[in-house]
Amino acid sequence: MTAVIELDGLGKRLGGQTVLDSLALDITGGIFALLGPNGAGKTTLVSILSTLMRPDSGSARILGHDVERDAARVRRHIGTTGQYAAIDEALTGRENLVMIARLLGLGTLDARRRADELLASFDLAETANRPVAEYSGGMRRRVDLAASLVLTPAVLFLDEPTTGLDPASRARLWDAIAARAAEGCCVFMTTQMLDEAEALADRVAILQGGRIVADGTVDRLISLVGTETAVLVDEAGEVRRTLGATGDAGALARQLAGLAEEDHRLHLELRRPTLDDAFLALTGQPGRTAARRDSREVAA
Ligand SMILES: Nc1ncnc2c1ncn2[C@@H]1O[C@H](COP(=O)(O)OP(=O)(O)OP(=O)(O)O)[C@@H](O)[C@H]1O
Ligand SMILES: [Mg+2]
């Protein structure tokens, strides 16, 4: 099976430093989220994969086409959010989308129909006939994202797609991304919002120091930094007793059976590292002790 996205020893230096250090990666489909601290090289990688920047060494292929040698063919299969330049401030939201659809080869009627569908799905129908110059930042961002979805590309690159969006727009965009993926589109996205990666991604990789330092499902990344543990906490949320890993049901049952009278006033909580914890631990940054809480009262 041809990998959808394939990196082989991909390297890039910028401003005298190694930004991407001999990256190897195979993505066969689904939603892939690339995480990493500021300056990790996420945008650089997206730029190379969407043919906007050349690698210095190694190679990258999209559906078997080399991003340098077959750039034109690669462009035919991809959509990207790097289309800011295509948005014309003087035109309305609708005119922009119709123009982009026409440039991508749709007929007049189809272009209008597609523009209206996108305007509706990004909640831009009401402002569609105002010039983009009058739009707020989040509204512009939505036009920009709608523009990347005019065609249904085989591969969609989204660099921090929800930055600057309000919660409702963010939820709508998540739905749009999930819908594209369900249609078979491979989505390669970067994000700083770990809840976003958790909600959407089939696979997550963390880029740091030019290398991928962790790669797998969200659950796998979380399991790298700890396991779910059952604890008893008091009213103030202080841990009074650690019962043990929830994976060890026998030991946990023995602990619960042996609880003393005063323990019954405490709450049982399951504490599991979050993707935030995993991100901070795997990128070697000092962490907070954020823990997802699933709390339940122990029989009173
Ligand atoms: N044109 C350029 N010239 C020199 N250095 C650059 C250039 N573009 C990016 N860099 C450097 O390359 C590194 C990676 O930048 P990049 O934009 O890819 O990071 P990022 O992971 O997308 O960060 P962020 O989370 O802030 O968006 C940074 O150190 C940046 O300063
Ligand atoms: Mg970036």
Side-chain angles (χ1 to χ4, degrees), residues 195-217:
D195 61 330
E196 185 157 290
E198 206 155 5
L200 286 173
D202 302 303
R203 181 172 163 195
V204 170
I206 299 177
L207 184 66
Q208 197 196 24
R211 293 184 160 267
I212 288 173
V213 296
D215 183 0
T217 60

Side-chain angles (χ1 to χ4, degrees), residues 39 41-44 159-160 190 192:
K42 301 180 297 295
T43 297
T44 303
D159 193 6
E160 298 198 29
T190 74
Q192 296 291 353

Side-chain angles (χ1 to χ4, degrees), residues 24-285:
L25 189 67
D26 264 2
I27 299 173
T28 52
I31 302 181
F32 178 89
L34 186 65
L35 313 176
N38 291 139
K42 301 180 297 295
T43 297
T44 303
L45 180 55
V46 168
S47 302
I48 290 173
L49 294 178
S50 48
T51 76
L52 301 172
M53 194 188 266
R54 283 169 171 272
D56 293 335
S57 53
S59 64
R61 282 178 295 281
I62 309 285
L63 295 165
H65 307 299
D66 188 277
V67 295
E68 280 187 281
R69 280 180 286 116
D70 303 326
R73 219 169 275 149
V74 167
R75 276 184 222 120
R76 252 177 262 147
H77 293 289
I78 67 171
T80 153
T81 51
Q83 292 179 320
Y84 299 93
I87 305 285
D88 187 329
E89 298 264 320
L91 298 182
T92 68
R94 175 176 281 114
E95 286 165 346
N96 266 291
L97 293 180
V98 171
M99 179 189 72
I100 291 161
R102 295 283 290 129
L103 288 172
L104 290 170
L106 269 65
T108 314
L109 282 180
D110 284 342
R112 285 193 196 140
R113 198 176 303 130
R114 189 73 192 121
D116 284 336
E117 279 168 17
L118 288 164
L119 289 164
S121 72
F122 282 94
D123 201 23
L124 288 163
E126 277 179 28
T127 43
N129 295 321
R130 273 168 52 195
V132 168
E134 295 174 15
Y135 283 20
S136 73
M139 285 156 68
R140 271 165 214 251
R141 185 96 185 113
R142 281 184 271 154
V143 176
D144 188 47
L145 289 158
S148 71
L149 295 171
V150 165
L151 297 183
T152 302
V155 188
L156 186 59
F157 291 103
L158 300 169
D159 193 6
E160 298 198 29
T162 60
T163 301
L165 294 187
D166 64 34
S169 305
R170 197 159 85 106
R172 216 171 283 120
L173 183 65
W174 284 9
D175 289 343
I177 294 171
R180 291 297 133 144
E183 288 164 16
C185 173
C186 173
V187 179
F188 184 110
M189 63 188 288
T190 74
T191 183
Q192 296 291 353
M193 281 165 261
L194 304 185
D195 61 330
E196 185 157 290
E198 206 155 5
L200 286 173
D202 302 303
R203 181 172 163 195
V204 170
I206 299 177
L207 184 66
Q208 197 196 24
R211 293 184 160 267
I212 288 173
V213 296
D215 183 0
T217 60
V218 168
D219 283 344
R220 178 171 179 273
L221 263 53
I222 287 172
S223 73
L224 292 176
V225 299
T227 52
E228 187 176 71
T229 307
V231 294
L232 290 178
V233 298
D234 61 21
E235 304 272 280
E238 287 289 316
V239 175
R240 299 286 291 273
R241 242 166 104 108
T242 299
L243 299 173
T246 55
D248 190 349
L252 206 53
R254 282 193 296 281
Q255 288 272 353
L256 283 168
L259 288 185
E261 185 77 15
E262 70 267 20
D263 291 333
H264 287 238
R265 286 191 299 276
L266 302 174
H267 288 75
L268 179 65
E269 276 193 10
L270 305 182
R271 295 203 163 176
R272 178 180 182 244
T274 61
L275 187 56
D276 291 55
D277 297 328
F279 179 83
L280 293 169
L282 293 165
T283 56
Q285 299 179 76

Side-chain angles (χ1 to χ4, degrees), residues 9-21:
L10 191 81
K12 182 72 187 175
R13 285 179 68 79
L14 282 171
Q17 54 157 347
T18 301
V19 176
L20 302 176
D21 189 2

